[in-house]
Structures are given as C-alpha cells and as structure tokens.
Amino acid sequence: METMQELKNKSLRKVLPVSVLLIVGSLAFFFFYGCYKLPQTIAPKNLTEVPVDELEGAVVQADIDYLYDYYMYSEQTRNNVPTGTITSIEYLIDCGDYYMGLRVPQNLVKDTKAMLKRCQQGDLSSVFKVRGMVMPMDGTRLRYYKEALNYDDMPAAQQEKFLLLYIDTDQIGGHNITMVWVVAAACLALLVWGIVRLVKASGGGYQKALRRRLAAMGDPTQMEERFDQFYQSREPVSGLRMDDEFFLIENGAKQELMRPWEVAWAYQCTTNHYRGVIKTGTSYALRLRLMNGKQRDISMGQAEVQAALQAMGQAMPGVVLGYSKEVEASYRQNREAFRQRWEAARPGCTARS
C-alpha cells in the first residue's frame, strides 16, 4: 500500500539521524577509551616475556619483588593547597635485564609504601602483583625520572638499561580497566540499539502494530485500503489525522491508530518546571483520556494543542473537550456517560470498535 510505504519512509527518516549518532558515537568512545585492548587484560603477557621493542602499548602482568625508590608522586590539592593525600606514586622497578617505571593508583599507595620500606630494610619476602598497560614517559614524568637517575650523565650503554617506559597499573590508555569494561558494555548496547532501530525502520517494523490494529478492525486488505484513503485525504493537524472512522497519532517513528470513539475526553495539560523556587520553563501536551481508563499524553506546543482540540471538535463530536473538576469526577465514576455521548453523536459507532 502507498500509505504504508510512505509511513515506512517517514520512520526511516526519523530514525536515521539518531541511529547514525548512536553508531558513530559508540564507535568513537570504543576507540577513544581503548576498549579494543580489553581482551589483553583477560590474559595479559608476563612483563619479562615481552621483547623490549614491543613493550610500549602492551598490557602486561608482573610479580614485583623489589621497589628501588619512587621518583614522582601526585598529591591532591584543594584551592591550590596540598591536602597530604597522595593520589598516585611512581617507582623504579626491574624489567628483566632492564629497569622501568611503575605507577600505582591511590588505592595501592599504602601497600607499596610498606613494601618499599621492607625492601630498604633488606626484607625481600614480599611480592606485589600488578597488571596494566606499558606507557611511554613524557613531560613532567620523564623529567623527574631522568633527574632521579641522573640519566643524562650516564654513558649511552647504561642509558639503554633504563627504559623510558612505565606500567600504568590497572589502567588502559590512562583509563581505569573496570571503567573501560563499563564503557565497552555501554558502547556495545548503544551500537546494537542504533543498528536495531535502523533495521526495524527499513523493514517496516514500526508499522507492524498499525497493521495488527487494522486487521483487528476487519478484513486486513479492506481495512488497509480504507486506511490508505483516509491517510491520503486527511491533512495532519499537530501530528494527528482524524475522521469519522480513524484517529491516527504520528509520534516520531511510530504511528498509533485508534477509533475516534475510543477517546472519551481531551484537554491541554500544562506543566511548569522549577529548579528550586526558580521557574525554568513550561511544557504543554495534549492529554487524551480513553474509554478504557488509560491516559495518553502527546507533547506539543501550546498553539499545536489548541489546533488539535479544535480539529477534534469538528471531526470527533463525541469527545468531551476541555478540563474541569466535574468532568474529571464524571470520567472516574461514570465512564458509560461518555460512551452514550458518542452513541448519540454517531449511532452504532461503539458497536464497530
């Protein structure tokens, strides 16, 4: 049917921008956070088994049995005043026949400080297990590392023993491994969501409920033909199309079809938004109170709400328009009166629902 194809194309146009944003955004975050390196964290290589020229960017694990000393630490500040809380600390460690740096986060500072003290006292019984990505030194980190070792004064042969690399414990590309797993899961969910929306829209999935509703109203082929005539002959008013047989709500990629006499009452719903005591805005919706007791709010501007109510007054004479406490009480206590109003306006209409 021409109308179903048109509605499918509309759904695809509505879905496409958000789906592309979801797909591109999820892939961007996936690569920005280095999620593609997560498999390496499941079975990381042993530090001493990785060739020196392949260390940079590798995710490794190591059993550290000796800490030489720390060459740098980061301290928390408040209003540019140090608080005394160390957020990370970096040590010189062995790497087989070489030396390199080890950065540990705040939660491991206390343990590594205790181990350093034991090492300085000659107690070599402790082993500290770490896992993280090997990163290149640069900036302040590189400067402190070289200053602590008098690196620039070393002979070239000795400098080669001190790698300008460090293990960033529990980190991938500067991000906590646990957080990267969470980001990866979120990226996968967003990617799947974006793809599913596109597939659903391109395959007419958003029209399946519409087809089911038409089939429930009568012979599917005849009802689709009548719906096609209705859709092509009725101009939308605030996203609504209506006549004496159909009431269609077009909301984004979805379409919702009802019989006009399923709507008992309609009015404008106004919501004021506050932040504390300060008013930040007002939103409007067309509120539909249905014969089955359910409620349907359709967000739109105030002018659109009024245009919709006016159109409903002309095309749907059985609907009560406008809010009052008396109508509210009647709707809650005697919904049969609303059915009788429709029956008076369109005899036999409720029998055709």
Side-chain angles (χ1 to χ4, degrees):
M1 291 293 181
E2 177 185 350
T3 296
M4 289 300 179
Q5 184 62 44
E6 183 178 338
L7 291 175
K8 185 175 79 169
N9 293 338
K10 277 188 175 183
S11 296
L12 186 58
R13 288 195 297 271
K14 291 287 187 179
V15 163
L16 188 60
V18 175
S19 292
V20 169
L21 182 62
L22 288 171
I23 294 170
V24 173
S26 62
L27 291 175
F29 275 97
F30 186 87
F31 285 99
F32 177 79
Y33 281 92
C35 300
Y36 56 92
K37 287 186 174 287
L38 282 173
Q40 297 181 41
T41 68
I42 299 174
K45 298 178 181 178
N46 290 319
L47 176 63
T48 55
E49 295 176 357
V50 181
V52 172
D53 59 352
E54 297 178 11
L55 274 173
E56 185 176 332
V59 178
V60 299
Q61 63 181 5
D63 292 338
I64 308 299
D65 56 10
Y66 195 85
L67 297 175
Y68 287 92
D69 205 347
Y70 65 87
Y71 57 87
M72 176 180 170
Y73 66 86
S74 300
E75 186 175 4
Q76 184 185 66
T77 61
R78 187 175 290 113
N79 298 324
N80 296 321
V81 178
T83 64
T85 300
I86 296 176
T87 56
S88 69
I89 191 165
E90 304 190 23
Y91 300 92
L92 181 67
I93 62 169
D94 290 319
C95 174
D97 295 331
Y98 299 87
Y99 303 91
M100 65 188 300
L102 170 70
R103 176 191 174 277
V104 297
Q106 184 175 351
N107 63 306
L108 298 176
V109 166
K110 184 177 179 180
D111 292 339
T112 53
K113 275 188 169 183
M115 181 177 177
L116 176 63
K117 185 175 181 180
R118 289 194 295 271
C119 290
Q120 292 172 340
Q121 294 172 347
D123 180 358
L124 307 181
S125 61
S126 300
V127 175
F128 184 66
K129 295 182 179 292
V130 298
R131 176 189 62 168
M133 180 177 284
V134 179
M135 303 290 289
M137 292 188 178
D138 56 12
T140 303
R141 175 177 286 107
L142 179 61
R143 178 166 62 86
Y144 284 169
Y145 180 75
K146 287 184 173 182
E147 287 178 356
L149 298 171
N150 290 322
Y151 182 87
D152 293 334
D153 296 331
M154 292 179 181
Q158 189 177 2
Q159 286 181 347
E160 291 179 358
K161 294 291 185 180
F162 291 89
L163 306 178
L164 305 182
L165 302 170
Y166 69 100
I167 301 175
D168 202 2
T169 305
D170 293 335
Q171 304 279 308
I172 294 182
H175 306 289
N176 179 268
I177 290 176
T178 301
M179 185 192 73
V180 176
W181 276 108
V182 173
V183 171
C187 288
L188 179 61
L190 293 175
L191 179 65
V192 170
W193 186 22
I195 293 173
V196 167
R197 282 165 55 90
L198 275 180
V199 171
K200 182 177 179 180
S202 60
Y206 287 100
Q207 285 68 56
K208 286 185 178 180
L210 183 59
R211 291 182 186 276
R212 287 196 299 269
R213 187 63 205 273
L214 285 170
M217 292 178 180
D219 178 81
T221 302
Q222 292 181 3
M223 293 308 300
E224 284 201 22
E225 289 177 354
R226 288 159 67 176
F227 176 75
D228 185 71
Q229 294 172 1
F230 154 76
Y231 190 87
Q232 300 301 328
S233 63
R234 294 291 176 173
E235 291 296 322
V237 179
S238 304
L240 309 175
R241 293 175 195 256
M242 61 197 83
D243 68 1
D244 60 353
E245 187 172 18
F246 298 114
F247 179 65
L248 180 69
I249 303 170
E250 295 186 71
N251 185 17
K254 300 178 181 179
Q255 298 87 35
E256 183 179 351
L257 182 65
M258 290 186 279
R259 291 294 200 182
W261 48 87
E262 292 180 52
V263 182
W265 176 28
Y267 55 91
Q268 175 179 296
C269 179
T270 304
T271 305
N272 294 316
H273 303 277
Y274 292 87
R275 178 170 293 176
V277 296
I278 301 174
K279 184 177 179 181
T280 58
T282 304
S283 60
Y284 302 92
L286 174 66
R287 175 163 293 177
L288 306 177
R289 306 294 287 271
L290 307 182
M291 288 294 186
N292 60 10
K294 295 182 179 181
Q295 177 178 298
R296 179 78 163 81
D297 285 355
I298 308 170
S299 296
M300 57 182 71
Q302 185 177 21
E304 292 177 304
V305 173
Q306 294 304 313
L309 290 171
Q310 183 177 359
M312 292 175 73
Q314 296 173 355
M316 301 166 60
V319 175
V320 176
L321 302 176
Y323 181 84
S324 72
K325 292 183 178 180
E326 291 75 17
V327 177
E328 175 80 35
S330 178
Y331 178 80
R332 292 181 180 279
Q333 299 169 12
N334 184 21
R335 208 168 301 137
E336 182 60 31
F338 291 82
R339 292 188 178 88
Q340 292 173 3
R341 176 186 171 93
W342 259 112
E343 186 67 29
R346 295 272 173 80
C349 63
T350 55
R352 292 183 277 135
S353 57

